[in-house]
C-alpha cells in the first residue's frame, strides 16, 4: 500500500489545484458581483441593483454591436464547422494526397500565430482585391480562424473511431459518401457540435482580427467594449460582460451535454 | 482492403474546399503583406503605392513589381523604436512563458492526482475561462487592480499598506494579465501528457528506493517533456505578438511589437511599415511555429 500514496492527492497537490482555480475564477466572480452594484463608482458598494443592465438595454450602439457579433458568430461558426469537418475527414481518412503537409501546416498555424499578423494579412487581401469591408469580411476572417479549431476537435474524435464500422457499411454495399453520412457522421456528431460551439464563442470573443477586417459602422461587441474599456472602468461594461459570461455558460452546458451524449456512445469526448 | 482504398478517394475530395479556402484566405494574404511591405507609403486610399489591380493583368503586375523597394525594412533596422519593441516582445514572452510553466505545472500535476471521477470536472473548470471572452477577463482584472479597486481596498483594510499602491499600467499587471489569459493553454497540454503516464513506473521507482522528489525528477519530468514543449510553444508564439493585454494593463512608455504594428497601422496609417513589421515578426516566429506544427503532428500520429 505504500506505493499507492505516490498517486494520491497530496496536500501540496490539493493546495496548488485550489489556488490555481481560485486564480482563474475570483476576478470573474468579482466582476459579476459588481455588475449588480447600484453605485456609479465601480468600487463603492451601493447596494444591489439592475440599473446597469437597464442602461445596456437602452444603449443602441452596444445593442447593434451585440447583434452584429451574434450574426457574424452564427454564420462563421456554421461555415467553419462545414469546412473544418471536411478538413478533419481529409486529414484522418485520406492518407497521402498532394500537398498534405502544406494543408495540415495551414490548419495548425492560425491556432498559435499572433492575431495581429492574421488580421493584417486578411485586411490587405480585402483592400487589394477591392472588397468592401463589413459583415462579410469579418465573417470570412472568423471562418478562417475558427475552422482550424473545429478541425482539431473533429479530428481527435475521428481518430478514436473504429474504422471497421465504415468498412462493414461499405462491405454491405454502401457507397463511401453514404457510409459517411449514415455511419461516420452520427458517430462524430458530438464533436461536430462541440466544434460549432467553440467556433461560435471564439468568434464572439475575437477583437483583434475583427478590428482589422471590419469596415466603418460595422463594429462588433468586443470592438465596442474595447473602446470603452480604454477610457476606464464603467459599471455598464460590468453588466455587458456579465451577460456575455452568462451566455457562454449556457453554451458550455450545451457543450457538456453534447459530450455526455458522446461518452454515452462509449467513446471519450473530444478534448476541447 | 478494397473498401479501405475506396474510402481514401472521397476523403481526398473532401479536402478540396477547405484546402482552397485556406490557400485563398490564409496563404495568399501573406503575399499581399509581403508586397505591401515593399511598397512606398502614400497619403491616399489605400495609403501605399504601387497599387496592383487585377484589371491591369500581367503588365500591371510587372509594373507594380518594378516599383518595389526595401526601404521599410531598412527603416526597421535603423530606428531603435522597432528593435526595442521586438526585444521587449521576446523578453516578455520568454519570462511569462517561464512563469506560466512554473505555475501551471503544479496545477496540472495536481489535476492528475485527483480521483479519476473528478478529473473531467477539473479539466472543465480549467477550460471554462478559456471560453469566456479574454477581453472580459482582462477587464475583470482592471476592476481589481485599479487605484480604488478591490485589491487596494483589501490591502488597506488589512493594514498591509497605508496608501493605495499603483498596480495598473505597470509591467507586473501586464505579466499578471498574460499569465491569467494563457493559463489554460499551458495546463491542457501538460495535463494531457501527465494523465497518460503509467503510474506503475513511479511504483517501480519507489520499489527501487527512489524518494518521491527523486522519482519526480527522474521519471515524471522527463516523461512530461512533450507536454512541456507543447505548452511552452502554445504560449510563447502568440504572446510575442500580443497586443491587447499590454495595451490595457502595461504602461505606455515601452511597447511590444504587436502594439507598434497596431500603432503604425491604425494611428500613423503607415501600412507598408506595418506590413514590414509583420513580415519580420513572422520570420522571427517561423522556427517555433514549424516546431509546434511538427510536435502537434507527432502527437497526433502517436495517438492513432
Amino acid at each position: 500500500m505504500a506505493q499507492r500514496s505516490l498517486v494520491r492527492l497530496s496536500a501540496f497537490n490539493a493546495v496548488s489545484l485550489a489556488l490555481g482555480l481560485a486564480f482563474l475564477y475570483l476576478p470573474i466572480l468579482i466582476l459579476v458581483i459588481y455588475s449588480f452594484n447600484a453605485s456609479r463608482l465601480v468600487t463603492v458598494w451601493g447596494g444591489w441593483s439592475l440599473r446597469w443592465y437597464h442602461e445596456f438595454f437602452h444603449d443602441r450602439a452596444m445593442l447593434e454591436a451585440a447583434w452584429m457579433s451574434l450574426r457574424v458568430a452564427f454564420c462563421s461558426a456554421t461555415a467553419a464547422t462545414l469546412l473544418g469537418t471536411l478538413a478533419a475527414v481529409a486529414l484522418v481518412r485520406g492518407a497521402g494526397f498532394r500537398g498534405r503537409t502544406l494543408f495540415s501546416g495551414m490548419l495548425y498555424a492560425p491556432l498559435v500565430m499572433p492575431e495581429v499578423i492574421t488580421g493584417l494579412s486578411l485586411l490587405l487581401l480585402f483592400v487589394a482585391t477591392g472588397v468592401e469591408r463589413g459583415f462579410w469580411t469579418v465573417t470570412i476572417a472568423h471562418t478562417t480562424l475558427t475552422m482550424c479549431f473545429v478541425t482539431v476537435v473533429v479530428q481527435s474524435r475521428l481518430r478514436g473511431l473504429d474504422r471497421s464500422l465504415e468498412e462493414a457499411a461499405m462491405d454491405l454495399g454502401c457507397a463511401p459518401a453514404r457510409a459517411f453520412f449514415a455511419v461516420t457522421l452520427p458517430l462524430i456528431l458530438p464533436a461536430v457540435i462541440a466544434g460549432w460551439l467553440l467556433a461560435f464563442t471564439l468568434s464572439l470573443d475575437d477583437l483583434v482580427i475583427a478590428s482589422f477586417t471590419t469596415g466603418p459602422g460595422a463594429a462588433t461587441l468586443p470592438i465596442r467594449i474595447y473602446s470603452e474599456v480604454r477610457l476606464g472602468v464603467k459599471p455598464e461594461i460590468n453588466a455587458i460582460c456579465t451577460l456575455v459570461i452568462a451566455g457562454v455558460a449556457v453554451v458550455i452546458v450545451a457543450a457538456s451535454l453534447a459530450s455526455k451524449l458522446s461518452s454515452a456512445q462509449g467513446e471519450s469526448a473530444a478534448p476541447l | 482492403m478494397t473498401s479501405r482504398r475506396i474510402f481514401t478517394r472521397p476523403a481526398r475530395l473532401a479536402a478540396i474546399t477547405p484546402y482552397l479556402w485556406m490557400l485563398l484566405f490564409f496563404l495568399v494574404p501573406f503575399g499581399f503583406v509581403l508586397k505591401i511591405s515593399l511598397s512606398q507609403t502614400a497619403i491616399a486610399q489605400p495609403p501605399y503605392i504601387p497599387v496592383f489591380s487585377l484589371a491591369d493583368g500581367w503588365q500591371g503586375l510587372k509594373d507594380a513589381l518594378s516599383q518595389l523597394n526595401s526601404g521599410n525594412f531598412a527603416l526597421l533596422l535603423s530606428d531603435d523604436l522597432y528593435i526595442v519593441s521586438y526585444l521587449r516582445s521576446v523578453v516578455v514572452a520568454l519570462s511569462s512563458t517561464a512563469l506560466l510553466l512554473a505555475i501551471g505545472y503544479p496545477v496540472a500535476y495536481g489535476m492528475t492526482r485527483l480521483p479519476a471521477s473528478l478529473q473531467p470536472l477539473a479539466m472543465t473548470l480549467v477550460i471554462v475561462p478559456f471560453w469566456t471572452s479574454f477581453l472580459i477577463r482582462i477587464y475583470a482584472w482592471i476592476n481589481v487592480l485599479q487605484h480604488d479597486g478591490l485589491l487596494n481596498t483589501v490591502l488597506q483594510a488589512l493594514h498591509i499598506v497605508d496608501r493605495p499602491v499603483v498596480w495598473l499600467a505597470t509591467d507586473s499587471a501586464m505579466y499578471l494579465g498574460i499569465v491569467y489569459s494563457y493559463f489554460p493553454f499551458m495546463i491542457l497540454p501538460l495535463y494531457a501528457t501527465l494523465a497518460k503516464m503509467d503510474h506503475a513506473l513511479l511504483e517501480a521507482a519507489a520499489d527501487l528506493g527512489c524518494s518521491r522528489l527523486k522519482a519526480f525528477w527522474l521519471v515524471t519530468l522527463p516523461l512530461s517533456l512533450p507536454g512541456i514543449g507543447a505548452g511552452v510553444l502554445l504560449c510563447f508564439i502568440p504572446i510575442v505578438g500580443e497586443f491587447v493585454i499590454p495595451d490595457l494593463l502595461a504602461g505606455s512608455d515601452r511597447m511590444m511589437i504587436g502594439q507598434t504594428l497596431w500603432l503604425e497601422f491604425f494611428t500613423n496609417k503607415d501600412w507598408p511599415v506595418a506590413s514590414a513589421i509583420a513580415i519580420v515578426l513572422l520570420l522571427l516566429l517561423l522556427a517555433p511555429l514549424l516546431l509546434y506544427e511538427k510536435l502537434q503532428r507527432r502527437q497526433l500520429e502517436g495517438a492513432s
Side-chain angles (χ1 to χ4, degrees):
Chain A
M1 283 323 270
Q3 297 98 320
R4 291 234 100 181
S5 70
L6 278 172
V7 286
R8 235 180 31 208
L9 187 71
S10 70
F12 173 73
N13 295 151
V15 168
S16 48
L17 198 57
L19 282 179
L21 289 178
F23 175 58
L24 282 178
Y25 283 93
L26 266 181
I28 299 178
L29 198 66
I30 292 163
L31 176 83
V32 171
I33 292 172
Y34 272 113
S35 77
F36 294 104
N37 185 0
S39 166
R40 173 163 290 280
L41 291 165
V42 182
T43 47
V44 178
W45 186 254
W48 297 90
S49 156
L50 289 175
R51 177 179 167 191
W52 307 113
Y53 291 89
H54 186 78
E55 242 162 67
F56 166 64
F57 283 109
H58 289 88
D59 187 336
R60 253 203 110 69
M62 277 289 177
L63 284 178
E64 266 166 23
W67 179 233
M68 162 97 178
S69 275
L70 284 173
R71 281 184 306 154
V72 168
F74 183 84
C75 294
S76 64
T78 307
T81 306
L82 284 172
L83 291 167
T85 306
L86 281 175
V89 169
L91 284 177
V92 178
R93 293 290 190 256
F97 53 85
R98 197 177 277 271
R100 190 183 190 281
T101 315
L102 176 68
F103 186 50
S104 69
M106 285 193 299
L107 286 166
Y108 285 127
L111 298 179
V112 281
M113 213 160 69
E115 285 183 309
V116 282
I117 299 184
T118 317
L120 179 74
S121 66
L122 274 165
L123 168 68
L124 295 182
L125 170 82
F126 294 140
V127 171
T129 50
V131 179
E132 196 187 328
R133 275 167 287 145
F135 174 81
W136 286 109
T137 47
V138 181
T139 304
I140 287 174
H142 282 184
T143 304
T144 310
L145 176 73
T146 57
M147 68 178 275
C148 306
F149 285 87
V150 176
T151 306
V152 170
V153 173
V154 175
Q155 183 171 311
S156 68
R157 171 81 184 165
L158 210 50
R159 259 172 224 284
L161 217 61
D162 189 354
R163 205 167 184 157
S164 56
L165 290 169
E166 290 157 8
E167 281 167 10
M170 282 188 279
D171 284 345
L172 293 169
C174 252
R178 194 157 163 225
F180 177 79
F181 284 107
V183 179
T184 318
L185 190 61
L187 286 172
I188 60 168
L189 198 60
V192 173
I193 294 170
W196 188 90
L197 292 170
L198 181 64
F200 187 80
T201 52
L202 282 170
S203 165
L204 274 188
D205 186 22
D206 171 70
L207 163 70
V208 177
I209 292 177
S211 297
F212 274 104
T213 51
T214 194
T220 60
L221 193 59
I223 296 176
R224 279 250 176 259
I225 294 179
Y226 179 67
S227 62
E228 295 282 331
V229 169
R230 288 190 79 171
L231 302 173
V233 175
K234 277 190 186 165
E236 193 198 335
I237 304 291
N238 284 352
I240 301 169
C241 293
T242 305
L243 285 175
V244 176
I245 292 169
V248 169
V250 171
V251 168
I252 290 167
V253 170
S256 70
L257 283 181
S259 87
K260 278 240 173 64
L261 199 74
S262 125
S263 46
Q265 288 169 347
E267 295 269 350
S268 64
L272 273 172
Chain B
M1 235 10 239
T2 46
S3 61
R4 202 166 289 189
R5 197 170 281 264
I6 291 166
F7 203 70
T8 57
R9 212 161 57 173
R12 285 181 204 178
L13 287 177
I16 292 175
T17 338
Y19 208 144
L20 289 178
W21 182 283
M22 289 312 281
L23 280 177
L24 183 60
F25 294 116
F26 184 74
L27 205 59
V28 170
F30 289 119
F32 285 96
V33 181
L34 189 62
K35 197 217 106 182
I36 289 160
S37 72
L38 295 167
S39 307
Q40 261 162 26
T41 311
I43 303 170
Q45 192 56 253
Y48 59 87
I49 48 169
V51 182
F52 161 63
S53 140
L54 285 176
D56 296 343
W58 185 236
Q59 189 54 44
L61 181 66
K62 270 207 293 206
D63 288 347
L65 280 176
S66 65
Q67 290 177 53
L68 297 180
N69 77 92
S70 58
N72 300 308
F73 290 97
L75 180 72
L76 290 194
L77 280 176
S78 66
D79 195 331
D80 271 359
L81 169 77
Y82 304 108
I83 299 168
V84 169
S85 294
Y86 280 115
L87 277 177
R88 177 163 160 86
S89 297
V90 172
V91 170
V92 167
L94 279 177
S95 4
S96 31
T97 305
L99 267 171
L100 275 160
L101 188 60
I103 300 171
Y105 202 100
V107 177
Y109 193 73
M111 279 169 68
T112 62
R113 289 295 180 270
L114 284 173
S117 56
L118 284 180
Q119 288 193 18
L121 177 71
M123 182 136 135
T124 312
L125 284 174
V126 170
I127 297 173
V128 167
F130 166 79
W131 288 67
T132 317
S133 168
F134 82 103
L135 186 59
I136 291 178
R137 286 180 283 144
I138 294 303
Y139 175 69
W141 275 111
I142 299 180
N143 259 329
V144 175
L145 296 177
Q146 64 180 332
H147 188 69
D148 51 356
L150 196 72
L151 184 62
N152 276 332
T153 315
V154 170
L155 288 180
Q156 277 175 295
L158 295 173
H159 296 290
I160 295 172
V161 297
D162 47 3
R163 68 183 62 177
V165 180
V166 178
W167 300 104
L168 270 187
T170 62
D171 275 7
S172 331
M174 177 190 66
Y175 279 113
L176 180 75
I178 293 177
V179 167
Y180 186 68
S181 301
Y182 286 88
F183 204 53
F185 291 87
M186 181 58 87
I187 293 202
L188 288 180
L190 282 178
Y191 171 76
T193 29
L194 283 171
K196 263 189 290 185
M197 212 182 79
D198 188 355
H199 291 310
L201 292 169
L202 282 183
E203 284 167 25
D207 284 347
L208 294 170
C210 252
S211 70
R212 284 176 70 128
L213 211 61
K214 202 168 171 196
F216 173 80
W217 185 249
L218 291 176
V219 179
T220 312
L221 197 64
L223 282 175
S224 62
L225 277 178
I228 294 177
V232 163
L233 287 171
L234 208 53
C235 293
F236 176 81
I237 305 170
I239 293 175
V240 171
E242 189 53 62
F243 154 73
V244 182
I245 302 174
D247 190 56
L248 290 176
L249 294 178
S252 51
D253 48 339
R254 282 174 303 162
M255 289 196 291
M256 285 177 66
I257 196 65
Q259 289 169 283
T260 311
L261 191 158
W262 185 278
L263 188 83
E264 290 294 354
F265 189 84
F266 285 109
T267 313
N268 296 348
K269 303 253 184 287
D270 197 336
W271 292 18
V273 167
S275 305
I277 293 175
I279 294 284
V280 174
L281 179 58
L282 196 64
L283 290 177
L284 199 73
L285 290 178
L286 207 58
L289 265 170
L290 290 175
L291 205 62
Y292 171 79
E293 204 254 321
K294 205 172 142 189
L295 215 73
Q296 187 76 8
R297 196 144 18 117
R298 206 168 50 191
Q299 223 163 20
L300 281 173
E301 269 156 20
S304 62

